[in-house]
Amino acid sequence: MSNKLETQGFLNDLDRVAQVRRKMAPCFKQIATKLKASEAEGKNASGSLGLERDIEDVTRTGDYLQQGVFRLLVLGDMKRGKSTVLNALLGENLLPSDVNPCTAILTILKYGPEKTVTVHFSNGRSPERIDFQTFKQRYTIDPQEAKQLEQRKELAFPDVTHAVVEYPLALLEKGVEIVDSPGLNDTEARNELSLGYIHQCHAVLFVLRASQPCTLAERRYLDNYIKDRNLAVFFLINAWDQVRESLIDPDDAQELVDAEAKLHKVFRANLSEYCTHEGYDRYNERVFPISALVALRRRLKDANANLDGTGFPEFMGALNPFLTEERAIMELRQARSLSRQVSSRLKESIERRTHLLGQGVEELQQRIASVEPEFKSLHEIGEQFRREIQSTRDRKARAIAESFRNYVMGLEQTFDADFLKYQPPSLSLLDFFNQGRRAEFNAAFEKAFQQYVNDKFFAWTLKSEKELTEAFAQLAKTAERYGTSYLEVTDRMTEKLTGQKLQTRAALSIEEDGPPWAKWAMGLFSLATGNFSGAALAAAGFDFNAILLNIFAAAGIAIVAASVFGVILGPIALALVGLGLGAFQAEQARKELAKVTKRELVKHLPQIAQQYSPDITSAVQECFDTYEREVMDRLQDDIQSRKAELEGLLQQKATKETDRSTELQRLQSLKASVTEDCDRVEDLYQSFLGG
């Protein structure tokens, strides 16, 4: 397939998803509008049906579909050509792209009818609209400035959160948003800013450079933020065309083949572990050599230029089905499941109301009284589930805090070997004794220490993340069990209230028949957050990866590193002076530095373990408490809506006569109208699957 067809095919497929979203969104808007109107009318008729939570969920889903986008985050070290890659993808020289780190603030590219840039601030200042030329000039920094900022651990523009670039381009118009990040190795603060967006995006484009095959710094970021976190990552090895230019004889075809084969082998060795999902090797679907500058030059001359040989056709050929099939189907399936839930719940409520409308006040009072034991059972189910959540919370909080303490105390055993690799080759102990270069030595030494501490605690975070993921997966199974019991009780209530025996369910499915709170607790709905990076529970509002990063922040690990370094630097300096200048011979000097640092660090490990363990405990507890609050709120809402429905009906019957025929006609009309909307959602979903 030619690149022109590949590009157009991608746009066509994106447009197909966008059309389905646009057609589905009004269905949910209409359902919400109809349910709201009916609940309001019901107050003057037979009472409301208690559908407030359903209205909230349907409204949120409609909003999400209407705004629906595929969000891509571009990551990579500076000088990798991230902005050039984006410009080539967009077909416009839109973002700053040269040898500098360039994008000094996080930039979000989205569709707009006109070319605009809006800069957003964190200090309360109103957003500022500027032109493109001003944007490029004002928010670009050169390498020297980046280095100075890195040494001072500062952001280039601390009062700026991000910039939004709106542009009338086809790719953006079809529902793609792109987050262009600052260079990873500028400052740790900028890293956290960029990587904080990872779990808000559908896919990550990690840009590498062919001439620098996966540096230690890049491995750090991949290990700390990417590995084993269920993220969809596409690796783009930029400047592949320069492989030829680096040859002794660029015209020697065999030399080129051998050089490329060797380079492919190096990248596979470095990246394979980040391209494995559930035991399946997806390297060939995730790693692409590209020549962004070549592609950009062609597209600037002709937007539909053939990009064969640049790697872009292959990359887009993989990105297209990932977004427009895999992710789109997941999103639309969840919307379809919600519409089914609302339709089923409405039908159940109307059928129950139909039977109750035929009962007199006295009979209705008796029937309501007869289901009090069932209401009690529903509360008991909720309390049992609450206790299980709390038990899991306390157990995991203790275990993870204990693992933190053990991990901290265990650093002594591995420090010698670990810390050596963090000392940069340029770190010379002779500089320590040079008054003019001592500040530079201290800065380089502190950076090495900071990276060591960060990496070690990220490794601990990953282990803890797995523990939390397993815990919530178990709670999902528990929710299914309690949801089944809950459904059995509500079916029994319906039989008592209506006097009608319900048909035996052929095969109980919580996803189809279960109470909404149980579905939420199991993670069956995720449109509230739009997060598709992890497991179902993560998508349902509990992004475990982000939560663990928050725990990392709560523990103040960066603060730990800075504060501890400040305390131990003095004793280390004295120890180095005591060793004497002659002791420092190359590798031996590095080992001596590690030994002295270890001796001082070990003195502070017990304090670190004791001081920050309570913060770890609190952060883990808050994770489970948030889950508990949301689940219990939904469960109690369901119980209260059922009670309110019966009490409202009884009050209406006791105070005024409701025309049963008119009310039944109103309710049946509502059911038919909402069913029509839900059927439309089902048809759109099935049509999308059918292609």
Side-chain angles (χ1 to χ4, degrees), residues 133 257 364 376 395 424 469 523 615:
Q133 191 59 34
V257 169
L364 182 58
K376 184 178 179 181
R395 187 172 64 255
T469 302
D615 293 330

Side-chain angles (χ1 to χ4, degrees), residues 70 118 124 153 186 201 256 274 315 353 370 440 485 536 566 649:
F70 291 121
T118 305
K153 302 181 183 64
D186 288 337
C201 295
L256 178 60
Y274 310 110
F315 163 55
R353 180 62 55 88
S370 73
E440 185 177 342
S485 299
L649 175 60

Side-chain angles (χ1 to χ4, degrees), residues 167-222:
Y167 211 82
L169 291 174
L171 184 65
L172 304 178
E173 185 180 12
K174 301 303 181 183
V176 172
E177 282 188 6
I178 298 173
V179 181
D180 184 23
S181 71
L184 283 178
N185 70 352
D186 288 337
T187 67
E188 289 291 337
R190 281 173 65 175
N191 296 341
E192 293 174 9
L193 179 66
S194 300
L195 295 167
Y197 275 76
I198 281 183
H199 304 288
Q200 300 179 33
C201 295
H202 294 79
V204 175
L205 309 185
F206 201 102
V207 182
L208 302 160
R209 197 169 187 86
S211 58
Q212 297 172 288
C214 213
T215 64
L216 288 176
E218 287 165 334
R219 290 295 298 265
R220 279 190 65 231
Y221 302 125
L222 292 173

Side-chain angles (χ1 to χ4, degrees), residues 568-587:
I568 69 176
L569 182 59
I572 290 175
L574 290 175
L576 293 179
V577 171
L579 286 173
L581 183 61
F584 301 116
Q585 301 296 323
E587 188 61 26

Side-chain angles (χ1 to χ4, degrees), residues 420-437:
L420 280 176
K421 66 182 180 182
Y422 287 91
Q423 296 184 41
S426 59
L427 186 64
S428 171
L429 291 188
L430 292 176
D431 291 341
F432 173 78
F433 294 95
N434 185 326
Q435 194 64 37
R437 299 180 63 85

Side-chain angles (χ1 to χ4, degrees), residues 20-316:
V20 174
R21 284 168 168 165
R22 285 196 296 267
K23 292 176 181 177
M24 259 194 195
C27 295
F28 285 94
K29 297 286 187 181
Q30 290 167 14
I31 292 172
T33 299
K34 293 170 183 177
L35 293 181
K36 284 180 184 177
S38 176
E39 292 293 83
E41 292 173 11
K43 293 177 181 179
N44 297 317
S46 64
S48 68
L49 298 176
L51 301 174
E52 291 82 1
R53 179 69 76 167
D54 300 86
I55 293 171
E56 288 179 13
D57 290 341
V58 168
T59 300
R60 185 164 50 245
T61 299
D63 291 341
Y64 178 84
L65 289 170
Q66 185 172 355
Q67 300 166 5
V69 296
F70 291 121
R71 189 172 291 111
L72 307 177
L73 172 63
V74 184
L75 291 174
D77 260 339
M78 62 179 181
K79 301 183 183 180
R80 295 303 184 265
K82 297 188 306 299
S83 295
T84 304
V85 170
L86 285 181
N87 288 338
L89 191 62
L90 297 169
E92 289 265 351
N93 192 23
L94 180 61
L95 296 170
S97 56
D98 51 35
V99 296
N100 294 327
C102 297
T103 314
I105 59 174
L106 190 135
T107 306
I108 301 173
L109 283 72
K110 59 193 301 183
Y111 176 75
E114 298 179 355
K115 303 176 183 180
T116 64
V117 180
T118 305
V119 180
H120 295 259
F121 302 91
S122 59
N123 57 3
R125 178 180 167 186
S126 299
E128 178 186 17
R129 295 186 69 173
I130 57 178
D131 59 59
F132 276 90
Q133 191 59 34
T134 301
F135 172 64
K136 291 183 178 183
Q137 292 175 351
R138 187 179 298 174
Y139 296 105
T140 295
I141 59 177
D142 60 40
Q144 185 59 37
E145 183 180 358
K147 184 176 181 180
Q148 292 172 354
L149 288 168
E150 183 179 10
Q151 291 174 346
R152 297 197 302 266
K153 302 181 183 64
E154 296 177 358
L155 292 170
F157 305 97
D159 295 333
V160 176
T161 59
H162 64 283
V164 175
V165 175
E166 296 183 54
Y167 211 82
L169 291 174
L171 184 65
L172 304 178
E173 185 180 12
K174 301 303 181 183
V176 172
E177 282 188 6
I178 298 173
V179 181
D180 184 23
S181 71
L184 283 178
N185 70 352
D186 288 337
T187 67
E188 289 291 337
R190 281 173 65 175
N191 296 341
E192 293 174 9
L193 179 66
S194 300
L195 295 167
Y197 275 76
I198 281 183
H199 304 288
Q200 300 179 33
C201 295
H202 294 79
V204 175
L205 309 185
F206 201 102
V207 182
L208 302 160
R209 197 169 187 86
S211 58
Q212 297 172 288
C214 213
T215 64
L216 288 176
E218 287 165 334
R219 290 295 298 265
R220 279 190 65 231
Y221 302 125
L222 292 173
D223 287 338
N224 289 344
Y225 297 97
I226 303 296
K227 186 178 179 181
D228 295 334
R229 285 189 163 88
N230 293 316
L231 298 171
V233 185
F234 291 84
F235 292 96
L236 305 180
I237 308 172
N238 193 22
W240 195 260
D241 53 299
Q242 293 181 10
V243 175
R244 176 189 292 274
E245 298 173 11
S246 67
L247 300 179
I248 295 176
D249 183 1
D251 296 324
D252 187 329
Q254 187 57 51
E255 186 181 2
L256 178 60
V257 169
D258 293 342
E260 289 185 333
K262 182 178 180 180
L263 203 52
H264 276 299
K265 187 176 181 180
V266 171
F267 275 107
R268 177 175 279 277
N270 280 282
L271 299 179
S272 287
E273 62 182 306
Y274 310 110
C275 301
T276 302
H277 181 65
E278 296 181 350
Y280 176 59
D281 181 7
R282 307 190 72 173
Y283 183 88
N284 292 331
E285 305 168 29
R286 292 291 186 263
V287 181
F288 301 92
I290 63 170
S291 301
L293 187 57
V294 175
L296 176 60
R297 286 169 176 168
R298 292 185 192 177
R299 294 204 70 188
L300 289 178
K301 293 179 180 179
D302 178 2
N304 294 316
N306 189 306
L307 299 184
D308 288 345
T310 67
F312 274 80
E314 293 78 8
F315 163 55
M316 287 190 289

